[in-house]
Amino acid sequence: MFTQPDGSYRFARWGRPIAPVVFGVEDATLRTVKGAIEAVATLAGHPIAETDPELGSNLMVFFFRDWSELVAIPDLDQLIPDLAQLVTRLQTQDASQYRAFRFDEAGAIQAAFVFVRMDARMAKLPADTIALAQAAQVFLLWAPQAFDGKSPLAVLPGNGATILRPDVAGIIAAAYDRMMPATADDKSHALRIFARLQGKD
């Protein structure tokens, strides 16, 4: 879940309270997105704040219909390096989502930017499903292939409610254990998370 394509291990979690802001949605959806972030924060035992003293908002979530819209957002190119080239690449890939992270001096997550293109596929999904999936994927620096071909979510067979997959929820909770580091580049870190999932650490 944290092994990079080149074989290296890279883990990071948030090192400060998360101060989210959401763009491009109506008030009802705004509450849904923030509710999903708060739910994952509760699972992780990590604080949510109104503002970040340094950045104002350190988790920015954008919803839009076409990647080209990002180029027109004032000052976004100051936050996302090589924004125009990134937009071109995402258009070529027909991507529906993208996440970018910034890190503090210790390597912990300092800020994150979530971009969700509401194409035909995404538009078919309930807002709470999209929100919970994005929240889960922004709380840790997952490997690029961590959720290839599989969602971090599951559907309860009884009532059809959408929840985090138990294994994903367990990893998030274990990763935010106060005895665990905020960042790691040694694969032994994965063994510590696994041990916590088994209740042995």
Side-chain angles (χ1 to χ4, degrees):
M1 303 300 272
F2 305 108
T3 301
Q4 302 301 307
D6 64 359
S8 64
Y9 186 88
R10 188 181 182 196
F11 165 87
R13 70 184 190 196
W14 284 81
R16 60 178 61 196
I18 298 174
V21 62
V22 184
F23 302 95
V25 297
E26 298 178 349
D27 288 346
T29 304
L30 171 64
R31 290 191 292 272
T32 298
V33 175
K34 287 196 171 182
I37 295 170
E38 290 168 359
V40 180
T42 299
L43 168 68
H46 191 74
I48 296 289
E50 288 295 324
T51 59
D52 178 87
E54 182 181 350
L55 302 172
S57 295
N58 56 24
L59 172 55
M60 299 184 182
V61 185
F62 298 84
F63 290 87
F64 50 90
R65 295 195 179 278
D66 192 277
W67 288 111
S68 62
E69 296 176 39
L70 298 185
V71 181
I73 298 177
D75 300 326
L76 186 59
D77 58 344
Q78 302 298 314
L79 299 173
I80 307 296
D82 302 318
L83 177 63
Q85 292 91 328
L86 173 63
V87 165
T88 299
R89 177 163 61 86
L90 293 170
Q91 287 174 323
T92 301
Q93 296 172 347
D94 193 29
S96 60
Q97 54 188 292
Y98 180 78
R99 283 166 294 279
F101 294 88
R102 286 169 55 181
F103 304 93
D104 61 23
E105 293 182 355
I109 300 173
Q110 179 185 50
F113 308 88
V114 179
F115 302 99
V116 181
R117 180 172 70 95
M118 296 304 294
D119 58 11
R121 293 168 296 177
M122 296 293 281
K124 293 179 181 179
L125 298 175
D128 58 346
T129 297
I130 297 173
L132 185 56
Q134 296 302 324
Q137 293 179 86
V138 83
F139 259 74
L140 296 173
L141 182 67
W142 303 95
Q145 72 280 5
F147 300 110
D148 280 357
K150 56 183 177 180
S151 169
L153 308 182
V155 177
L156 289 176
N159 57 14
T162 300
I163 62 169
L164 284 180
R165 279 182 8 217
D167 59 324
V168 173
I171 290 171
I172 292 173
Y176 276 88
D177 185 299
R178 62 185 182 86
M179 299 302 293
M180 294 289 283
T183 181
D185 59 9
D186 191 297
K187 293 182 179 181
S188 63
H189 172 268
L191 298 177
R192 295 182 63 190
I193 289 183
F194 180 76
R196 280 168 166 74
L197 295 179
Q198 309 305 307
K200 297 178 182 179
D201 188 352

